[in-house]
Amino acid sequence: TAHGPELPEAFRTLYRWHDGQIYGLGGVFNLRLLTLDEIRTPWKMWKDLEPEFGNEIEDSFSYPERVIGLSHINTGWLGFLTGDCNGFVGIDTCPATAGTAGQIINFGRYEQGKYVLSPSLKAFLREYWTRLKTGRVSVVKSSEAFYGLNNWEVRLHDIRGQHMHGCRSLADYFPSFGAVPTILGSEVPL
C-alpha cells in the first residue's frame, strides 16, 4: 500500500472476517489476535525509529539462516498475534536474501532468535486448524474474566502433551511449524 508494505490476500481476508480480539489472550494458540489499529500503531512508531535502530543486532540469529533480517526493527514485519512477553507473530513482507515474502515469523524486544514459523499465513492457519482437529491443543479456562464472563484459551501442547503457558519466546509455541529445531533437549517434533 502507499503507507506500508503490500499485504498478502490471506491477511486481507482474515481481517475482513474479524478485526482482532478486544480482550485477553487465548484466541490463537494462547496469543491475542491484534486489531488493525494495534498493528498500525507500533508500525508507525517503528517507521520513525527504523533509521536509528534498524541495524543488525549483535548475537541475534535467524532460523533457517539468512531468511529473516537480524535488525531490532523492520517496517516489513507486521505483527498480528502477541503474547504476554511483548513478542509478536507476524508476516515478513521484507525477508532476508534466502527468505520468502509473506513468511510467518516471530519477532520482538526479547526475541533474540527469529524463526520462520510457517511459509505463509494460509499454511499457518491450516496448521492451526489441523492442531484443533487432532487434539494437539488444550482449551482451558483463563484466570482472567471479562465483564464477569469466562475467558477460554487455546494452548499448544509441548512434546510431552502438556499445554504450554507462561512467558516464553514465542517460537517455543511453534516447534513443528519449522521453528525451533529441538525442544526440551529432544529432536522429536511436536
Side-chain angles (χ1 to χ4, degrees):
T1 66
H3 302 289
E6 186 64 32
L7 299 171
E9 185 56 36
F11 181 88
R12 293 173 186 269
T13 300
L14 175 64
Y15 275 85
R16 277 193 294 264
W17 174 71
H18 203 281
D19 185 11
Q21 67 186 81
I22 58 171
Y23 60 90
L25 298 176
V28 179
F29 297 137
N30 200 32
L31 302 173
R32 187 169 62 83
L33 182 63
L34 297 172
T35 66
L36 287 173
D37 283 341
E38 290 173 316
I39 294 170
R40 190 178 302 113
T41 299
W43 183 87
K44 286 179 179 178
M45 181 181 67
W46 296 334
K47 186 175 180 183
D48 293 338
L49 295 173
E50 191 172 31
E52 185 176 349
F53 296 102
N55 300 323
E56 286 192 12
I57 302 172
E58 190 175 318
D59 297 328
S60 66
F61 63 92
S62 160
Y63 183 84
E65 292 183 23
R66 297 182 304 280
V67 295
I68 306 166
L70 300 179
S71 61
H72 182 65
I73 295 174
N74 184 327
T75 55
W77 300 337
L78 295 171
F80 63 93
L81 293 172
T82 191
D84 35 344
C85 301
N86 299 314
F88 295 95
V89 170
I91 296 174
D92 184 358
T93 65
C94 186
T97 56
T100 304
Q103 63 194 11
I104 304 302
I105 65 170
N106 70 298
F107 62 95
R109 177 182 293 172
Y110 303 109
E111 302 286 330
Q112 182 180 9
K114 294 174 180 66
Y115 299 89
V116 173
L117 306 177
S118 183
S120 69
L121 180 58
K122 188 175 181 178
F124 178 86
L125 294 173
R126 186 178 306 117
E127 178 66 17
Y128 176 66
W129 177 244
T130 298
R131 288 182 181 220
L132 290 174
K133 288 191 323 186
T134 59
R136 291 171 21 208
V137 297
S138 294
V139 178
V140 296
K141 186 176 176 181
S142 173
S143 58
E144 298 178 31
F146 184 70
Y147 291 112
L149 300 174
N150 291 330
N151 190 19
W152 296 89
E153 299 173 357
V154 177
R155 294 182 179 170
L156 284 172
H157 290 175
D158 64 18
I159 60 172
R160 296 173 305 224
Q162 302 297 311
H163 64 80
M164 298 170 63
H165 58 87
C167 194
R168 295 180 166 184
S169 167
L170 287 174
D172 292 338
Y173 287 90
F174 302 97
S176 75
F177 278 63
V180 183
T182 61
I183 300 294
L184 303 175
S186 171
E187 301 212 9
V188 179
L190 184 68

